[in-house]
Amino acid sequence: MSTADEKAHASPGANIAAVSGIQCGVHRIEAIQSVWGTKSKIVLWISVALASYMCILDNGTNWAWGSYATMQFGRYQQFAAIQCATSILLAIGKPLFAKLTDAVGRAESIAIALFFYVLGYTVNATTPNMAGLGVGSCIWVLGYSGLQIALQIVIADVTTLRWRPVVSSLSTGGWYFINFYANGQITAKLTVPGGLGWRWGYGIYALCYILALSPIIIVLLWAQRQAKAQGKITGNAPAEAKPPLSARLRAFAEDVDAVGLLLLAATLALIFRACPSLSAALRFVFVPVVLAGGSYATTTWHNPAVPAMMVIGGFFALPLFIFWEAKRASHPVVPLRLLRNRTILAACAINFFDFVSFYLTYAELYGFVSATTQWKIGDLVYYSNAQSLSLTFFGLGWGVIAGALKTGYKASLIAALAIRIIGTGLMFYARTHTNTAALVMTQIIQGLGGGIASVTSQIGAQGAVPHQDVALATAALLLSAEVGGVVGTAAAGAIWVNRLPVEIANHVPSLNGTEIAGFVGAPTLVRGLAGQAYADMVAAYSQTMRMLLIPGIVVAIIPLAAAFFVKDFCLLEIQNAVEVKTLDGRRAENAGESSEPAILEAKV
């Protein structure tokens, strides 16, 4: 750590926000490392576990409530629009909360995420229509996005490269081993006829989030107070010495790069959204690709607003965003030094195209198995969570082995992406042989490759930058994944709502337009058919799934190619492979085989 850094730790009068370019949140968490005791560390990890558990439990069930809510409203085909809207906001939330964690603090950012969680789910629990469901979901997903990245940043702060894959895997999916069964039971109890209903799911979780997130907020704030009391973090200046409110707001806006965030949001919104009016925006946030698919008569490719917004986003908002980040932003959302880092660029490409491929094959999978199998509701949930369980198991297993061996990660990343392609290819067989073994194996094999790829790409991105850039590197990685999810979900929704009615009409010509729309809007109605009519309907769904799998497997080749461009490094007892320092910011003397920045050039 530099002399300036040491003075900031030791001197009560130091300005921690301006030390060596390190922002307030980063300096605070490094100062906290020096005050942790055994008991406080135990409390921290229990708090992280609680927050992770709630996040994973929610992630495994809320989509089912959304599905049943849209079915109850008779608008299941519009569920893809809500998914796309939340995917966009999930992406935008990543850089927003990454900047907040750096400029404001880790605990404060999680508290803000909690606010969005509770507000969004309260709206969902009380909504009388689809409009409220869309609005509540958009509010909720900001909280989810914030907690998702804040937890990963905190874990990167308090773990070394050696064990970060294990802890990260546990936090992002470890609880799936328990929730794999619990998710199905909870969903079944809430959604079956005569059950409590999907509204209770949203309402109960709003309360549970308060109980689950409060401990991590409290323990981080307590540690900050302890560090401040020991002079490791400076206190606030006296009231008379504080600058005017306008100056403080301006400084905050610069710290979080408010202009850059707005331009980034505008770019994504204009390219991926179509909001003809403010009132329409309050009802839904539609994706042009889905809208132009023809499922909504008022907004198609023939409507000039759709291509116009995409052109404005791509040729006006995006260049303006790039100019601002390169020339004007003091703390840019996307620093140019990240764009010059080939490992970051390769990892972002891997995540973007991998998520495009994943959602092309997964976004409509629940509707497909609902129509083509006779599984119970709980079994449908188990199947939908099978890949997540596989992701967790193999990602965690790789983390343990890699940490024990202090090995590199590049070879594992390449192999994992190759395995993921194999799993996607096997879905061509499973779609026409809808037996349990074939369907489940595709998810397990994809999870094997995806779990290892997810962990290795993230550890590569976090290890390839200094601590100050860990939050932004993580945000860039997750942002790429979420934007890929938006593209994949949008494309899947467009293909599904366009092609499925055509395939049903071709395979079951006796149905009229209203009846076809009913089967598209509620896939479970297919189960009520029998004999040849059921077989023909299953064939229609299988042919539509084929239209999703073809682009899915083609796109999956791109991440494999990008993996060859990352730099490899060994997973040692250091915060990152650039500064080679300990968790509290001091220079690492005995990190392992090497303690030099050249560790990034280690051979595969």
Side-chain angles (χ1 to χ4, degrees), residues 71-420:
M71 288 182 188
Q72 180 175 313
F73 292 137
R75 301 290 184 87
Y76 179 75
Q77 70 274 22
Q78 293 183 3
F79 189 45
I82 293 180
Q83 287 179 309
C84 288
T86 54
S87 295
I88 294 170
L89 293 173
L90 192 62
I92 293 173
K94 296 298 188 302
L96 169 62
F97 277 90
K99 294 299 293 183
L100 286 175
T101 58
D102 282 346
V104 178
R106 276 48 172 170
E108 294 82 355
S109 298
I110 295 175
I112 295 171
L114 176 59
F115 170 77
F116 284 112
Y117 262 125
V118 175
L119 178 60
Y121 268 6
T122 301
V123 172
N124 276 358
T126 57
T127 182
N129 51 40
M130 285 288 290
L133 186 68
V135 170
S137 297
C138 289
I139 296 172
W140 158 80
V141 80
L142 285 175
Y144 179 80
S145 181
L147 179 62
Q148 188 182 44
I149 190 168
L151 284 178
Q152 289 304 308
I153 292 171
V154 169
I155 289 170
D157 290 331
V158 299
T159 58
T160 61
L161 285 177
R162 183 181 182 186
W163 300 115
R164 195 175 302 161
V166 176
V167 179
S168 180
S169 296
L170 285 171
S171 69
T172 56
W175 292 110
Y176 273 118
F177 294 111
I178 297 174
N179 289 347
F180 182 71
Y181 176 78
N183 287 344
Q185 295 300 309
I186 292 172
T187 304
K189 296 294 183 183
L190 292 173
T191 57
V192 295
L196 290 175
W198 54 268
R199 295 180 187 276
W200 275 93
Y202 289 123
I204 292 172
Y205 276 23
L207 176 61
C208 289
Y209 267 121
I210 297 175
L211 300 176
L213 298 189
S214 294
I216 191 171
I217 295 172
I218 293 171
V219 71
L220 287 174
L221 289 176
W222 171 84
Q224 286 182 190
R225 184 174 181 179
Q226 291 295 110
K228 184 180 295 185
Q230 296 180 25
K232 304 297 179 66
I233 298 177
T234 58
N236 294 326
E240 61 272 11
K242 287 184 178 180
L245 177 61
S246 59
R248 279 180 281 158
L249 290 176
R250 188 180 305 111
F252 174 76
E254 291 177 357
D255 268 355
V256 301
D257 191 16
V259 175
L261 288 171
L262 287 174
L263 290 173
L264 176 61
T267 300
L268 294 175
L270 287 168
I271 292 176
F272 294 113
R273 300 182 190 177
C275 299
S277 66
L278 180 59
S279 60
L282 292 175
R283 295 187 61 198
F284 285 107
V285 188
F286 290 116
V287 177
V289 176
V290 174
L291 293 172
S295 59
Y296 308 98
T298 59
T299 312
T300 69
W301 286 114
H302 298 291
N303 186 335
V306 175
M309 285 191 303
M310 299 186 74
V311 169
I312 293 173
F315 294 96
F316 178 74
L318 179 58
L320 188 58
F321 169 71
I322 295 173
F323 170 78
W324 175 266
E325 293 297 288
K327 301 295 184 180
R328 303 300 299 273
S330 57
H331 296 285
V333 174
V334 185
L336 289 180
R337 59 184 178 274
L338 290 186
L339 299 180
R340 290 192 291 263
N341 188 318
R342 87 180 194 203
T343 300
I344 298 297
L345 292 179
C348 287
I350 290 169
N351 275 258
F352 175 80
F353 289 106
D354 184 53
F355 268 64
V356 172
S357 174
F358 169 74
Y359 277 100
L360 277 168
T361 62
Y362 187 82
E364 303 296 341
L365 186 61
Y366 185 82
F368 173 76
V369 295
S370 296
T372 59
T373 69
Q374 297 297 321
W375 294 344
K376 297 178 181 179
I377 293 175
D379 295 332
L380 290 172
V381 176
Y382 295 148
Y383 177 73
S384 297
N385 287 325
Q387 187 166 164
S388 296
L389 183 66
S390 182
L391 284 164
T392 301
F393 178 80
F394 291 107
L396 178 60
W398 180 87
V400 172
I401 294 172
L405 299 177
K406 298 183 180 180
T407 184
Y409 72 96
K410 184 174 180 177
S412 299
L413 174 61
I414 294 171
L417 291 169
I419 292 172
R420 192 154 179 80

Side-chain angles (χ1 to χ4, degrees), residues 155-165 406-407 459 462-467 470 568-600:
I155 289 170
D157 290 331
V158 299
T159 58
T160 61
L161 285 177
R162 183 181 182 186
W163 300 115
R164 195 175 302 161
K406 298 183 180 180
T407 184
I459 199 68
Q462 291 180 340
V465 295
H467 193 190
V470 165
D568 200 14
F569 53 82
C570 297
L571 306 184
L572 306 177
E573 294 286 358
I574 50 178
Q575 207 286 324
N576 60 76
V578 177
E579 298 168 308
V580 195
K581 65 182 184 179
T582 58
L583 297 178
D584 59 0
R586 293 180 293 106
R587 180 75 180 179
E589 299 298 333
N590 297 302
E593 290 84 350
S594 171
S595 61
E596 297 301 318
I599 193 173
L600 278 174

Side-chain angles (χ1 to χ4, degrees), residues 41-72:
K41 285 183 179 179
I42 292 174
V43 173
L44 173 68
W45 289 120
I46 292 175
S47 301
V48 170
L50 284 173
S52 300
Y53 178 80
M54 191 62 221
C55 191
I56 293 169
L57 180 65
D58 186 15
N59 187 53
T61 54
N62 73 341
W63 60 268
W65 301 333
S67 296
Y68 279 94
T70 53
M71 288 182 188
Q72 180 175 313

